[in-house]
Amino acid sequence: MQEQNYYLKIGQIIKELREKQNMTKTQLADGICSISYITRIEKGERCPTSVILRQITNKLGISPEHLFRAIESSTSLHVKELLDQIFLYIERHDFKNIYELIKSKKEELHVTSIHDLQIIKGLECFSYSILNQNYQWGINEVKNILKLTYANKSTPTDMEFALMSMHGVLLLFSNQKKEAYNYLISIKKYIHNINLLHTRFILPRFYVYLISASLDTCNLKDCFEYLDYAINYCKDYNTHYTLRELYFLKSELYYRLKKEKKFKLWYGKALRLHELIKRSDDEYFNTFIQNRLNQLK
């Protein structure tokens, strides 16, 4: 009976989303399955396979996670909306808005998922520690939050990996550059084993800090490999806010290698991309560049 109710909920939500978009069953089924199969799903008589479910949700403009959260509760769906907004701010490196958003919303949402609580609390602490330059406090808090779910030496989830990355970033910001480099290198091995990414910013953002730590500690040997991988990833998944930082870091690498022409080429690319995508309140990139240039003097 419980399984039938689950199927019915999936069908009801798919039907509501389809009708809301004025989409016929024929249009939804096209290229995916038969019209009769869609009818049976919407009536709760069939549960779609994972492949068909992903195709249906893609056509409806949502993720499978969105659908499952809608089935779970409206509160869970609101949490997903909050996380999506937080991730957008993270890509822009906008920690002030992250902290203020979490502070204003967390009490009313009644978050019940341990993983949702983990990432929301982790980002709240991370943002607070950066805004107040209280990095050691942030390191300790992030480590404790990670311990809620992570088993040592196991492959982390994407959110656990994000928390690990925060630890490395805070080491870097606290001027513990060698420790930051060693820690970030130690967790790099997990990247290709993470099966599901809730947001595409996690990997290129990790590489920005790994490359920064590599440059700061004069570990230049593998920087081109890191840069090429991260730049291609950003292009493939349209994470352009991070791409401009990677362009600048590539220019910095050429500067350190005393290749002036290539330094100017990639520095120019970083500035041109910034002009294309910058927002009126976007000061982070200028600050990022200025801080990096100051270290080269």
Side-chain angles (χ1 to χ4, degrees):
M1 187 69 178
Q2 187 175 3
E3 190 176 72
Q4 286 180 330
N5 289 339
Y6 181 76
Y7 293 172
L8 188 59
K9 284 183 178 180
I10 287 179
Q12 287 172 341
I13 293 168
I14 288 174
K15 183 178 180 180
E16 287 171 7
L17 289 169
R18 177 179 63 77
E19 292 178 342
K20 189 175 181 181
Q21 297 181 37
N22 296 317
M23 186 185 295
T24 65
K25 291 179 186 178
T26 303
Q27 290 171 323
L28 180 57
D30 184 38
I32 299 175
C33 59
S34 67
I35 300 168
S36 62
Y37 193 82
I38 294 293
T39 299
R40 294 185 70 189
I41 290 171
E42 291 187 353
K43 287 183 176 180
E45 297 172 359
R46 285 294 302 270
C47 185
T49 65
S50 59
V51 173
I52 289 177
L53 183 62
R54 184 170 293 278
Q55 291 174 320
I56 287 173
T57 52
N58 282 345
K59 190 170 278 193
L60 292 170
I62 63 168
S63 66
E65 183 192 2
H66 182 105
L67 179 63
F68 295 138
R69 283 180 178 273
I71 293 167
E72 184 181 338
S73 70
S74 59
T75 298
S76 182
L77 200 54
H78 291 324
V79 171
K80 173 66 167 58
E81 291 168 356
L82 172 66
L83 289 173
D84 287 345
Q85 185 61 55
I86 289 171
F87 293 150
L88 179 61
Y89 285 142
I90 290 174
E91 188 178 356
R92 296 173 177 174
H93 225 260
D94 189 348
F95 295 111
K96 184 174 184 292
N97 273 322
I98 292 171
Y99 183 72
E100 290 178 351
L101 179 63
I102 293 174
K103 190 176 179 181
S104 66
K105 296 289 186 181
K106 67 177 182 178
E107 296 299 330
E108 65 189 61
L109 286 176
H110 306 293
V111 183
T112 56
S113 163
I114 183 63
H115 294 289
D116 288 344
L117 284 167
Q118 186 182 48
I119 195 61
I120 290 171
K121 186 63 177 174
L123 287 167
E124 182 183 26
C125 293
F126 184 64
S127 301
Y128 179 85
S129 64
I130 288 178
L131 292 171
N132 293 278
Q133 298 183 0
N134 194 347
Y135 303 125
Q136 192 56 53
W137 174 86
I139 290 168
N140 294 334
E141 288 297 304
V142 166
K143 285 167 65 177
N144 288 332
I145 293 166
L146 178 63
K147 287 178 184 177
L148 292 174
T149 60
Y150 181 65
N152 282 338
K153 298 184 180 179
S154 63
T155 298
T157 65
D158 63 335
M159 293 296 102
E160 289 169 343
F161 184 78
L163 287 165
M164 292 176 175
S165 298
M166 291 178 208
H167 179 182
V169 172
L170 292 170
L171 284 170
L172 190 62
F173 284 3
S174 64
N175 213 31
Q176 300 178 64
K177 295 180 179 180
K178 186 175 290 187
E179 292 83 353
Y181 171 77
N182 289 334
Y183 181 78
L184 291 168
I185 282 291
S186 75
I187 65 172
K188 177 183 172 292
K189 62 188 176 188
Y190 297 124
I191 284 177
H192 299 295
N193 296 321
I194 299 173
N195 295 320
L196 176 65
L197 288 173
H198 287 79
T199 177
R200 292 289 180 183
F201 83 88
I202 292 175
L203 296 191
R205 179 59 62 192
F206 166 78
Y207 273 104
V208 165
Y209 290 114
L210 173 58
I211 294 162
S212 296
S214 299
L215 293 170
D216 290 346
T217 55
C218 297
N219 287 287
L220 308 184
K221 180 182 174 183
D222 296 318
C223 280
F224 281 114
E225 177 189 336
Y226 302 154
L227 281 161
D228 290 344
Y229 176 84
I231 287 170
N232 288 333
Y233 186 96
C234 287
K235 289 179 178 178
D236 288 342
Y237 295 105
N238 297 317
T239 54
H240 294 141
Y241 281 99
T242 311
L243 185 58
R244 56 189 175 167
E245 295 166 57
L246 291 164
Y247 281 174
F248 176 79
L249 290 172
K250 193 160 187 174
S251 77
E252 181 181 335
L253 176 56
Y254 279 122
Y255 181 92
R256 289 174 182 270
L257 295 173
K258 304 188 185 305
K259 296 185 178 182
E260 187 176 350
K261 285 186 179 179
K262 289 192 174 182
F263 160 72
K264 290 180 178 179
L265 172 69
W266 285 95
Y267 185 54
K269 282 188 176 185
L271 295 181
R272 285 194 296 275
L273 180 58
H274 176 59
E275 287 301 313
L276 284 173
I277 65 175
K278 71 178 181 180
R279 298 171 300 116
S280 59
D281 60 342
D282 186 2
E283 289 298 323
Y284 163 70
F285 183 67
N286 292 328
T287 304
F288 172 79
I289 282 186
Q290 195 55 56
N291 288 340
R292 300 298 309 175
L293 288 174
N294 287 341
Q295 293 186 55
L296 296 177
K297 292 179 181 178

